Amino acid sequence: MALDPAWLARGTARMVRHAMQTTEPTMTKREANQQRSLEAFLAKKAEFDALLTELQQASDDHFGADPEAVLWGETAWLRVTRQMLVNDDLGAFTDFGAMIGRRIADFENAIAYAVLNAANGDGPTLVTGNAPVFSTGAARANKAAAGSALDITSLAAGRAAIMRQRSLDGIPIAIGEHMRLLVGPNLEMPARQLTVPVAADQVSRENIYAGMIEPIVEPLIPANRWYLFAHQQASPVYVYGYLDGAEAPRIGTNPIQGVDGIEISVLFDFGVGAIDWRGGWFNPGT
């Protein structure tokens, strides 16, 4: 029985969409699942990993051109033959679509944090003001003059700095109901200590920012850097997106000439960049 390209494409696309919806890196807010490692799929997985390296280079090229308007697209091809499916005793290809979805979700996250971490955490240079996203200068005033530890004093300073920012017409920017404190693994404990409710027997011991600031721990934030952001719907700083109608990879199939098998193509368009600086605060840490 010959392989049905249309059937496999539909099935793979469904698995990719499901995997991306259930995988949540911090930048794109998807929930992470554990990825199975299957020996029978190592060869094809290596091909896909090599593709991601190519996409990384393509992404870097685009970011260097225009950090405020970023969009790139690439296509990968993997060949699946009938013999490979018949010999797939471990069920590796059952997880094929799910693996692509999870890997692309993680890849989105890595690309986004590469932009955030640019220039030692200052971010890309914006056309407006010809300055990076975060700077101590008057054009930005959203970066600590000297790195400091994450504590109640430095957190209050960052929050106040964001609240002092003004829109183009001089109106204070909106910060939203909740702000977000972004840290790396080194600062997870103080970040949670400063933002979770505690049962205090005195007013002076209450956690004043409980319920007002949400901690987010991201392994891609290096050293002791930390960021504070207004709510993303109120005053966004970094945004990401896709081509209209293509929020998940598009899966296509073509027959392989002379072989009972198909060629699966994965087309993916994704963009990320900085659009403003007013809604964020950066402290390089100590």
Side-chain angles (χ1 to χ4, degrees), residues 22 126 171 181 250 274:
T22 57
L126 301 180
I171 300 175
L181 176 60
R250 284 161 286 175

Side-chain angles (χ1 to χ4, degrees), residues 124-167:
T125 297
L126 301 180
V127 173
T128 303
N130 192 29
V133 175
F134 296 102
S135 173
T136 59
R140 298 287 187 261
N142 61 356
K143 178 183 176 181
S148 61
L150 176 57
D151 55 24
I152 192 70
T153 301
S154 61
L155 185 59
R159 180 176 168 86
I162 294 176
M163 296 175 69
R164 285 193 294 266
Q165 294 283 1
R166 296 292 188 268
S167 63

Side-chain angles (χ1 to χ4, degrees), residues 14-133:
R14 284 195 298 270
M15 287 188 288
V16 169
R17 288 194 296 269
H18 175 74
M20 292 187 70
Q21 291 167 358
T22 57
T23 302
E24 188 171 349
T26 60
M27 185 66 87
T28 56
K29 299 303 290 179
R30 297 190 182 107
E31 191 173 316
N33 287 334
Q34 183 178 4
Q35 181 174 332
R36 293 168 58 192
S37 177
L38 301 172
E39 293 183 1
F41 203 48
L42 288 178
K44 287 299 172 183
K45 181 180 181 300
E47 292 183 23
F48 194 74
D49 288 344
L51 163 74
L52 295 182
T53 301
E54 296 176 6
L55 295 185
Q56 174 74 62
Q57 183 59 52
S59 171
D60 292 341
D61 293 341
H62 282 284
F63 289 142
D66 187 356
E68 291 188 311
V70 179
L71 185 64
W72 54 263
E74 278 291 340
T75 304
W77 290 270
L78 296 177
R79 290 191 173 190
V80 180
T81 66
R82 180 176 181 273
Q83 182 180 5
M84 292 167 63
L85 293 176
V86 170
N87 294 332
D88 181 23
D89 295 333
L90 296 181
F93 287 99
T94 302
D95 285 348
F96 174 71
M99 186 208 73
I100 292 178
R102 290 192 296 267
R103 287 287 290 165
I104 288 181
D106 291 339
F107 182 63
E108 290 177 2
N109 202 56
I111 289 295
Y113 279 102
V115 178
L116 178 74
N117 288 324
N120 293 318
D122 289 346
T125 297
L126 301 180
V127 173
T128 303
N130 192 29
V133 175

Side-chain angles (χ1 to χ4, degrees), residues 200-216:
D201 56 358
Q202 297 180 20
V203 175
S204 61
R205 296 177 180 176
E206 289 184 355
N207 193 338
I208 61 174
Y209 290 127
M212 299 172 60
I213 298 178
E214 175 189 359
I216 298 177

Side-chain angles (χ1 to χ4, degrees), residues 63 66-70 112 115 124 126 237-241 271-276:
F63 289 142
D66 187 356
E68 291 188 311
V70 179
V115 178
L126 301 180
V237 176
Y238 288 95
V239 297
Y240 73 96
V272 61
I275 61 170
D276 201 357

